[in-house]
């Protein structure tokens, strides 16, 4: 077991000041970048290559040997070649026996192969201790000192000690290793760098769908209806008026959808009388993307705020505001202040501003660095208490803003309700059900269920331990 | 010492690919969630339970044994039971001798017991190596993959090696261990998850108190006075006008209070002629909550900004702006531009905007991830230099805005000053004293004192090493 | 080798519950603060001092001995004295042989000495294992519990094991060690705490320069020209009008300069036919400060947004808006809505708002904690795709805003173009070249070059491995 003793160099005391030797198979772009960085950090690097002729692209201080010779010199072998060439490693199985073999490969698309590259490598080399690592780092990130993108390196493997050795190298290169468990996690780690905001996909498509629907709804009611029946060409509403109608509506609906799954989960738990049964799949997925839904709602709310604040700059608004002033001047009279109107306009503005303020507060605590520095109780307080306060204020803002139109027949063009009425459906439903749920006669059994009590203990026959607890 | 050798599995080389065995006493919610996660991460888990009858809630791959049998199988025993049942552990003291015993309990309220649960456990089991850990993690956080809340696990204990073993488990579970020192820290760690923004309490109550005071002050002067003497019903001022008066006033006072303790500390140090004497307690506490005070001031300033920008949308403001236009039209004349007025209005707007801009900059550097990526000199530069610049700009904004009212008798309704004058007291005092402090004849001795020089070295008789250095 | 065995205390199993002994040379401010913190964390601290007379400033539980005696008691010696006194250590070279000697010193200015303090120490004590650490932590940060500034401790040294021992102490004190490689890195580590936003210097000076230039340009055209030829005193434009002209212009130019180096790099790579040759130095530096340029552009854009939104509050704008209304009233007619104008004004507002929205989004992903939680593909998507979208929207905003002035002779006062035309030069150039670069006939060879293909492989004769890859 000579190998083992040299393996432990990084941990065990030794007199040499040099770090251990690492072998890299493959002299491609990433293999060279990694080798270069390792040499900088004090490792001795040996490249295993088909041709041992030294290319001037390979770092100066590295050795280049045949694969077999290079592998014998090191306890850790990094495989910087593509999966389709892995089968050339089979003749080296003997030499690689007991060695730490690091798979750093990436695929071109998600789930390209039935098994992960690292598992495939482990099958080819049954005696080797395969570790998956480094695939999330780009050659550019390794090279450039000003490392803006992620420093996280996901590591997984079945051998704890081999994993520890690789994680020491990761740390030495100035990166942060994250242990992801056994080699089964390799599939997920290989998919990671190919992902493009997977948690955001559903919320973004949902909000784009809502936006498109309300755009055509508004276009029909505000532009086409006006053009047909009033012969006014308000096509320029497309630029500012309609976006500023869509944004608050989508924001309010999305905010309602953030709190709807929590309410549904409570109803399901109350109905079932236990928390030990898995929620329907759609509800689980919905719950996991609440943060993203909320942040998109915040984005729409911010756009609404800026659109509204910018409206006095619009030439249409200036023209509309001038009309009553000119007519007062022409009629030679000054209208007194309408106090009711002043109350209404000030109230919905104030409700909107304060609602938006709390919304931004909740959004700030979603920043990773902020949510990491609060404890669980504080996080729940902000996300749940302040979140509901935001929902209440924003719903009230909408109600006060448009209350006068509810009973006015002119608001029902083509017998369709104004979109702001549609926007109230989800948030009002959530608030009503939540209001019922906080009554003691409903809250008490729910709390007991969430603490583990079961109405019919026999009925819960789940095969595995599952906890279903809503974070709201 | 069989125990020791198995203890070191995680660190020492070994041929087995499985992590070590961990024993969990107690099969409650948290015990099951922890066991489940550990099995996922490759540990072998043995539950110690009163009844060894296997419940279907317990993770499938775990063993369930009696407490004594389970404890003998592992070097680390996690106590997932409540403090009031700890005394059942006394008969097991013999078996637990030399073992690492992990206390994960939480209390229901702050400082519930005279000693921490972990210290109590250490008294019950004198031979065991007690470590406090995992109490800050919720069962939900362990279970859910999308871990938004804190990943930090505070660890403390008197035995370094035992602590290191527990921290290795924490890392393996994908969490971040933070060593908090000896078991004396357990009290604080047990209080941590019960806290609800403890550093924020005083600043929030202070700002709420100021808000309430100024609300009634404004209500009296702007609504009630106007109603009594001018017979105008301006009750709708409550919604927008009064909040937009309170917000800037509270923001400016709080911003002044951020820089006041630094100035007081300098005066105290100059007076005493040494930095080696502890500041009064209230000053120490005040200094520690300056960041929170500043952030609340920023929140009020932001509200002020949005309230002001939204004011052209108010129907009252539209009515008020229309009046002079109509009267000009009726009188058949066009007033020329009042350049002085244009200068004044543009100046206070520009000062306010630039002051707010720097305020937001300082606020952004308070984000944990940003303040972690700057060095000490940069942090001080932003917090102190840019902070004072903000204070100067915001004070100037207020002075220019209301300068004309100082000498106008109509501003002193009921012989009370306008609230904007009250808001200037603290920031002006701070700026004047700070201005004196940067004179070389004052700055030089202060700098020498802060570098360790003492005017009367004999007089400093503190029993312990204390450094009092203001961060301003 | 007695030393070695005691060195390993932190890692190796031992029965004592106390951490190892650490020796500190020097009883100055920082030495005392560090010792105090170490005692808190369970270390035994021995001070080495010229006079062993115990001062009451030294922590109570620490021993104070002569330098030689103190050094013999510990395996780690922390040198808390200034560089100019290092030569007194030479007589102790024998005793310090094989010990871990930690250099924590800082200099007063950048690159004060030809070699770093740590390297100088290593020369004085050839047998000692010198490690650089702790110089980035302030005494105040060690002392205060509420640690807001950076917790990062940069560590470097030639001896891996010695470095690991020091990093364990760093971790035990609740700080985060960052291994920076060999002792060659000491110079950089010693310069770090003296730096004041080094990456920001060029972008800030550039933007200040642009601001100054455009200020005088505007002053001449808007104030002086108007005063001379139209006899209007518009000096108050200095407060709001001119800043709100400068801000968008500087923001747009800086945003163009963020994307210009990427475009230049592509042209250079296409021309050379290889990526394996180093870019000119100025281009490399420019590329490294793109993030800072972009954030300053965002700051100017935000100022522009707030200045614009605040403009209806200006008394000049109120006066200007009232004029046409009064003249309409006096002429007894109501002008109909000018639809073209409504379209134009709404379009540029909408383009500006949406452009600013995406700009803020890109800015948020520059926060360290956000950019750490996205993968490389997502980071590139946001910074490149969304960044270009921002540039296109902001350029379109400017074009639509001022399109009507291009052909109007009155816009060319003194034959000089309006500054908004100057602002379009850089962004339009970038967009045109980028548009050409995405044509397949240009994009294909570029992609192949970036994947490592070379047009004339012989021509690349670089001596060392260099990767030049633009992140755009």
């Amino acid at each position: 077991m000579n190998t083992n003793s040299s393996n432990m160099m990084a941990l065990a005391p030794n007199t040499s000041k040099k770090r251990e030797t690492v072998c890299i198979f493959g002299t491609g772009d990433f293999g060279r970048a990694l080798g270069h960085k390792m040499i900088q950090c004090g490792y001795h690097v040996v490249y295993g290559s088909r041709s041992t002729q030294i290319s001037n692209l390979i770092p100066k201080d590295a050795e280049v040997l045949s694969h077999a010779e290079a592998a014998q010199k090191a306890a850790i072998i990094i495989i910087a070649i593509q999966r389709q060439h892995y089968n050339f490693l089979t003749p080296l199985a003997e030499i690689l026996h007991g060695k730490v073999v690091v798979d750093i490969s990436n695929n071109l698309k998600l789930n390209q192969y039935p098994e992960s590259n690292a598992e495939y490598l482990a099958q080819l080399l049954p005696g080797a201790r395969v570790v998956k690592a480094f695939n999330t780092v780009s050659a550019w990130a390794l090279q450039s000192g000003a490392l803006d993108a992620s420093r996280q390196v996901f590591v997984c493997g079945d051998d704890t000690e081999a994993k520890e050795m690789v994680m020491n190298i990761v740390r030495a290169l100035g990166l942060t290793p994250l242990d992801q468990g056994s080699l089964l996690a390799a599939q997920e780690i290989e998919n990671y760098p190919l992902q493009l905001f997977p948690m955001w996909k559903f919320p973004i498509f949902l909000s784009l769908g809502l936006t498109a629907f309300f755009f055509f709804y508004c276009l029909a009611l505000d532009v086409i209806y006006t053009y047909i029946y009033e012969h006014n060409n308000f096509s320029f509403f497309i630029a500012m008026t309609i976006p500023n109608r869509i944004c608050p509506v989508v924001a309010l609906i999305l905010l309602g959808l953030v709190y709807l799954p929590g309410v549904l989960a409570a109803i399901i738990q109350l109905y079932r009388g236990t928390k030990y049964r898995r929620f329907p799949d759609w509800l689980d997925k919905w719950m996991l993307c609440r943060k993203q839904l909320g942040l998109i709602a915040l984005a729409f709310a911010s756009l609404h705020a800026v659109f509204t604040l910018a409206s006095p700059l619009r030439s249409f608004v200036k023209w509309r505001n001038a009309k009553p002033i000119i007519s007062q001047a022409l009629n030679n009279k000054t209208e007194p202040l309408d106090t009711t109107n002043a109350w209404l306009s000030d109230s919905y503005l104030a409700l909107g501003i304060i609602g938006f303020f709390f919304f931004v507060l909740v959004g700030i605590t979603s920043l990773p660095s902020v949510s990491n520095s609060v404890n669980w109780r504080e996080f729940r307080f902000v996300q749940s208490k302040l979140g509901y306060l935001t929902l209440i204020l924003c719903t009230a803002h909408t109600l006060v803003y448009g209350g006068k139109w509810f009973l006015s027949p002119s608001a029902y063009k083509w017998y369709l309700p104004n979109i702001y009425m549609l926007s109230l459906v989800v948030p009002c439903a959530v608030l009503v059900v939540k209001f019922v749920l906080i009554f003691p006669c409903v809250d008490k059994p729910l709390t007991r269920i969430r603490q583990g009590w079961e109405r019919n203990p026999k009925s819960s026959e789940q095969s595995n331990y599952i906890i279903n607890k809503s974070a709201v």
Side-chain angles (χ1 to χ4, degrees), chain A:
Chain A
M1 282 293 148
N2 290 8
T3 325
N4 254 355
S5 64
S6 77
N7 282 356
M8 293 309 294
M9 267 185 201
L11 280 177
N14 66 78
T15 45
S16 135
K17 290 189 177 189
K18 192 86 179 168
R19 291 182 189 272
E20 72 255 45
T21 298
V22 174
C23 163
I24 299 175
F25 277 13
T27 55
D29 236 38
F30 192 76
R32 292 190 314 248
L34 194 59
H36 195 67
K37 183 80 186 173
M38 282 178 156
I39 290 169
Q40 277 186 336
C41 295
Y43 287 94
H44 179 232
V45 173
V46 189
Y47 280 98
S49 173
R50 232 161 305 172
S51 78
T52 56
Q53 182 192 341
I54 291 175
S55 148
N56 52 19
L57 294 174
I58 287 177
K60 253 198 309 193
D61 301 331
E63 265 181 280
V64 181
L65 301 170
S66 74
H67 288 115
E69 285 171 320
Q72 267 158 343
K73 285 221 171 180
I76 298 176
I77 291 100
I78 294 171
I79 310 294
I81 53 180
Q82 287 174 308
R83 180 193 169 118
Q84 53 264 40
H85 307 308
Y86 277 6
N87 44 10
F88 97 93
L89 292 167
T90 34
L92 300 167
E94 193 62 27
I95 295 162
L96 296 174
H97 194 273
K99 303 263 183 180
V100 178
V101 174
V102 185
D103 182 302
I104 62 169
S105 63
N106 267 324
N107 294 326
L108 293 174
K109 50 184 193 186
L110 291 171
N111 302 314
Q112 196 173 359
Y113 298 100
E115 79 285 74
S116 68
N117 300 351
E119 285 166 303
Y120 174 60
L121 188 61
Q123 285 163 24
L124 288 177
L125 308 167
R129 302 188 287 166
V130 174
V131 174
K132 178 87 206 178
F134 288 113
N135 69 313
T136 53
V137 184
S138 73
W140 164 253
L142 274 177
Q143 205 58 28
S144 116
L147 196 67
D148 278 332
S150 181
R151 286 167 175 277
Q152 295 180 345
V153 174
F154 296 112
V155 179
C156 77
D158 290 331
D159 187 298
T160 309
E161 184 215 345
K163 212 153 61 179
E164 196 59 46
M165 286 163 64
V166 174
M167 285 164 74
N168 279 329
I169 295 180
V170 173
R171 280 188 208 106
L173 303 191
L175 304 162
T176 312
L178 281 179
D179 190 338
Q180 299 289 302
S182 77
L183 210 57
L184 291 170
Q187 183 91 25
E188 213 181 311
I189 294 177
E190 288 174 10
N191 281 337
Y192 178 76
L194 297 168
Q195 288 170 348
L196 192 61
F197 298 112
M199 300 297 294
W200 289 86
K201 241 163 223 169
F202 172 69
I204 285 177
F205 284 130
L206 178 69
S207 55
L208 287 183
L210 285 172
T211 305
F213 170 73
F214 285 119
F215 177 75
F216 289 111
Y217 198 93
C218 281
L219 195 71
L221 291 195
D222 292 331
V223 177
I224 298 174
Y225 183 94
T226 321
Y227 189 71
I228 295 175
Y229 293 95
E230 302 171 16
H231 303 288
N232 278 326
N233 180 3
F234 280 169
S235 62
F236 64 87
F237 274 19
I238 290 171
M240 288 275 291
T241 310
I242 293 181
N244 198 20
R245 268 188 213 177
I246 295 169
C247 285
V249 165
V250 175
L252 193 59
I253 292 177
L254 290 179
L255 187 59
L257 291 179
V258 170
Y259 291 96
L260 189 54
V263 161
L264 289 179
I267 293 173
I268 289 175
Q269 287 178 340
L270 272 175
Y271 173 77
R272 287 180 178 168
T274 176
K275 73 167 181 180
Y276 295 116
R277 271 168 66 199
R278 200 185 267 281
F279 287 132
D281 227 38
W282 54 268
L283 190 57
D284 262 347
K285 279 187 189 148
W286 190 350
M287 281 192 158
L288 286 175
C289 69
R290 284 181 294 181
K291 177 180 162 184
Q292 283 76 15
L293 278 171
L295 288 175
I296 292 175
L298 178 56
F300 275 94
S302 311
L303 276 175
H304 167 52
V306 180
F307 271 118
T308 306
L309 293 177
S311 67
L313 305 167
R314 297 172 61 194
S315 73
F316 167 68
V317 171
K318 286 180 192 166
W319 171 81
R320 202 182 52 188
N321 286 343
K323 266 206 313 198
I325 300 175
I326 296 171
S327 79
Q328 283 179 55
L330 294 181
N331 296 331
N332 221 345
K333 64 167 188 179
T334 318
E335 271 173 24
L337 177 66
D338 178 349
T339 327
T340 318
N341 221 8
W343 255 115
L344 271 179
S345 105
D346 282 13
S347 305
Y348 81 72
L349 284 172
L351 284 169
I353 291 168
I354 296 169
F356 182 63
F357 173 77
F358 282 112
F359 207 162
V360 171
L361 264 197
V362 175
I364 288 173
T365 56
S366 297
L367 284 174
S369 66
V370 177
S371 65
N372 264 326
S373 67
V374 298
N375 69 32
W376 181 245
R377 198 180 159 211
E378 293 163 344
F379 184 75
R380 272 176 60 96
F381 174 80
V382 172
Q383 296 290 328
S384 164
K385 293 285 190 318
L386 287 194
Y388 264 108
L389 185 59
T390 305
L391 183 60
I392 291 167
L393 287 167
C394 291
T395 310
H397 165 67
T398 314
L399 279 169
V400 175
Y401 166 70
K404 53 190 175 189
W405 292 343
F406 257 114
L407 298 174
S408 139
S410 73
Y412 297 87
K413 295 173 185 166
W414 283 334
Y415 306 104
L416 290 172
N418 197 303
I419 62 159
Y420 109 91
M421 293 174 203
L422 298 181
S423 77
L424 285 168
V425 176
V426 178
C428 287
V430 170
L431 288 177
V432 167
V433 177
K434 183 74 188 177
F435 184 68
V436 172
L437 286 175
I438 58 172
F439 272 97
C441 60
V442 185
D443 187 45
K444 251 189 202 163
L446 186 60
T447 308
R448 282 173 65 203
I449 286 167
R450 287 191 174 157
Q451 282 165 353
W453 174 82
E454 296 183 76
R455 206 187 295 132
N456 309 306
K458 301 273 168 198
S459 75
S460 70
E461 292 176 19
Q462 80 281 30
S463 59
N464 208 328
Y465 173 74
I466 295 143
I467 190 169
N468 277 327
K469 187 176 166 189
S470 100
V472 174

